[in-house]
Structure formats: structure tokens, C-alpha cells
Amino acid sequence: MSDETIRVRDIVAAPGETARGFLTIGETPTAPINVPVVIINGERPGPTLCLTAGVHAAEYPGIDAVLRTIQSLKPAALSGAIIAVPVVSMQMFQNRSGFLSPIDGLNLNRTAPGRADGTISEILVRTLLTEVISLAHYHIDCHGGDLGEILWPYAGFSLTGKPEIDQHGETLVRLYTPRIFALYEDATTLLPTTGSITNAAARLGVVSILAESGSNGTLNSEDLQTHLDGIQNVMRYLGMIEGQPIVRGDRLRAREQFTVNATRGGLIRLNIEIGESVRAGQEVAEIVNVFGDVVEHVTVPRDGIARLIWAAKAVNTGDPIVKCWVTEPAAPFPGTEQYRQTI
């Protein structure tokens, strides 16, 4: 048995035990602001994996995947430990809010590393990083398309320049994603990483990955399964549960992305689906005015894969319509090649 007791304030789990409770990180005029934490401490030694979801709390498949994972795990069948925060922002969860905290208007995933003397979001992110994620060797932050976003699943890792961390990070994203992964540089053209929780965690020495699956406030079974498969793949790779990871098919590495915006306002009629490959010059939508006249044929400037479609069907001049990955076949990778199955 492991001889390490895991403690997050007054939530304490000795080897072979499960504990759960709340961290109080502040208060509103009417009630405390609490964060749920679950610790499952295995009977056998192994790594500590932190699972978080609900940083954007209308991204429901990741939340449900963490809930289902902690309900199914027993200490007797676990090597190492799980520290889980199923819903990071309880206020967003309660209010069914997308992107921004209803308390201070901040985006939690653009606020890291936070501040001890800041607003609620800044305090919450700092507490999450310093008191929860920092206890782990590995971390998965489960996300998806937020309200108004239709998303194609992927996983990403913020490169640190430290080979021992970056190799593990690439391994984990390749194991988690069903197809596409991204490795973010500090000056990345892929996504803004400044202020993100996974970027800040990686700078603390935790192998921390972003896992994206889900769309537009839905809880689709396929999106949920992507998260469940990814979590299990990572846990199997780390030797925390029985079995070997399964990598189905080839992987694509995202190199950059581009966004196509409307230049006219009106009703948009899309011609593509999420995850669809597009070619340079292809018409992906048309925009019609309130008389039904076509006022714009929307085309893409280059080849790509539709990774994000904005769900709104009425658009203004300048509104984004679709964001596309530019990808390349991922080279074979020692950390995952042995698990790859061709399909």
C-alpha cells in the first residue's frame, strides 16, 4: 500500500480511502462560494492525477465524465490517487452561464495564475492551482464547446521547453484525442495560452493537458464517451488502472488555424458540418437579407478542418462563422506508437 495521505485543507484521504468535501474560497452577500473536491487514494502506490471540469460550467460532457469517473473508481482497484474537481465554477453551473463568471465577469481560463487578493475568479484560479493541481503529477482540464459554440474534439498541451515535461504532455494529448492534437508555443498562433489553467499548471511542473469535447450546452453521448475514453487511456498509460491504452487510427497535429467572418449581416445558411475538411475557395455558407436575397457567399481562404462553428444563425458584419484547423499528419511518437490500432 502507498503510505501517502493526501490532504486538501480538511479533505483528507489516507491510502485506501475516499474523501470529499468543499473548499470555501470566498462569499457572496448571501452564501459562501464553495468548490467541490474528491480524493480517491488508491491502495497501491502510483502517480497522482488531477481531473478538473466546469471551468466553463456549461460545457457539460467534461463535467459528467469526471462525475462518472469518480463514481466508478474504488481505492482497491487504483494505483496512485485521483484528485477531482467536477465543477470548478459553481456559480457558472448554477446560473447556466457561458464563458464569464456571473460574479465578476472574468473568464476563468484567461485568469491564471490568479491572485490571492483579487476578485473571486482570480482567487478561485489561484486556489485551484496552488492547493489542488500542484499536488498532482498530471492534470486533465476537461472542456468542450461553450454556449453558442459547436466544437470538433481535440486535446492540447502548452510546451514548456523542458523535455521531460513536454514529452509526457505530448503523450497524454495523443492518448486523449480521437484525432487532432495541438502543442502550444508561448507565441502560438493556435490558441491564446496566456491566462489558461493548463499553461499555468505546466509552468508549475505539472503535466497538464486541455481536453475538448462537447458543443453548445449539450450533453451528447459521443462527446461524453470521448472524455471517458481519454481519461481511461491516460490512467491506463500511467498504470493507475488495469489494461492498456488504445489509440485508434492516425493522429493529426494542428499547426495553425484561421477564422472566417461575415462581411454582411443577415441569416446564415451553412453548407458544412463540424469536423468537415474544406478546400481553399470552397463556399461554406451564404448570407441572406430579410427579403431572402443572397448578400454574401462565404468562402474559405485555404484548406483546413472545421474545428469550431458558431451556432448563431443571425450574423452581423464581422461576426465569426467558422474557425478551421490547418493540420499535418503527426509523425510516429514513441510514447504512443505501441498502442496504435489501424482502422
Side-chain angles (χ1 to χ4, degrees), residues 51-342:
L51 303 174
T52 57
V55 169
H56 296 144
E59 298 173 357
Y60 300 117
I63 293 172
D64 200 18
V66 174
L67 291 173
R68 290 173 184 264
T69 298
I70 60 177
Q71 282 288 315
S72 65
L73 284 176
K74 306 301 179 187
L78 181 65
S79 298
I82 293 288
I83 306 174
V85 183
V87 182
V88 171
S89 177
M90 295 286 275
Q91 283 62 49
M92 293 181 73
F93 190 59
Q94 176 183 359
N95 288 276
R96 293 170 288 191
S97 302
F99 299 104
L100 305 179
S101 166
I103 296 179
D104 59 13
L106 295 182
N107 184 334
L108 281 176
N109 213 29
R110 298 293 180 267
T111 310
R115 293 170 49 191
D117 60 348
T119 66
I120 288 299
S121 293
E122 293 170 320
I123 294 169
L124 174 53
V125 168
R126 182 175 176 84
T127 301
L128 185 69
L129 284 165
T130 61
E131 299 190 39
V132 181
I133 296 174
S134 63
L135 301 179
H137 304 97
Y138 303 91
H139 169 233
I140 302 170
D141 193 20
C142 298
H143 283 259
D146 210 327
L147 298 176
E149 295 181 333
I150 301 168
L151 183 82
W152 193 241
Y154 72 96
F157 173 74
S158 295
L159 295 168
T160 66
K162 299 177 181 178
E164 67 279 9
I165 294 178
D166 291 349
Q167 184 172 9
H168 282 300
E170 182 169 349
T171 300
L172 265 54
V173 294
R174 284 174 176 255
L175 290 171
Y176 204 102
T177 182
R179 191 180 183 209
I180 295 174
F181 69 92
L183 301 175
Y184 310 132
E185 307 282 357
D186 282 339
T188 183
T189 58
L190 293 175
L191 284 176
T193 57
T194 301
S196 76
I197 291 170
T198 55
N199 181 279
R203 269 66 196 160
L204 293 175
V206 180
V207 180
S208 178
I209 70 168
L210 174 71
E212 295 265 8
S213 181
S215 289
N216 197 25
T218 60
L219 184 47
N220 180 282
S221 60
E222 292 183 4
D223 295 326
L224 169 63
Q225 196 61 51
T226 294
H227 280 299
L228 290 171
D229 290 346
I231 291 170
Q232 289 182 351
N233 251 8
V234 168
M235 292 185 69
R236 287 171 178 154
Y237 171 76
L238 296 175
M240 301 180 72
I241 57 176
E242 292 184 354
Q244 281 200 332
I246 298 173
V247 176
R248 293 185 173 91
D250 297 328
R251 293 290 183 261
L252 294 176
R253 179 175 177 179
R255 302 301 309 194
E256 53 184 300
Q257 63 181 342
F258 62 87
T259 301
V260 178
N261 300 298
T263 63
R264 299 290 302 273
L267 178 75
I268 186 166
R269 297 169 177 165
L270 280 171
N271 300 328
I272 59 168
E273 301 288 339
I274 194 68
E276 185 175 331
S277 295
V278 294
R279 306 291 294 179
Q282 179 181 337
E283 182 176 315
V284 295
E286 66 178 17
I287 299 173
V288 300
N289 64 19
V290 293
F291 300 104
D293 302 322
V294 176
V295 295
E296 182 179 3
H297 296 278
V298 181
T299 61
V300 293
R302 54 192 303 194
D303 297 353
I305 297 172
R307 65 162 293 253
L308 177 64
I309 293 174
W310 279 266
K313 295 300 179 280
V315 295
N316 306 304
T317 297
D319 281 351
I321 296 172
V322 60
K323 184 178 289 186
C324 297
W325 289 124
V326 177
T327 64
E328 65 182 16
F333 189 70
T336 59
E337 191 64 19
Q338 61 183 312
Y339 308 120
R340 192 169 71 89
Q341 298 180 356
T342 57

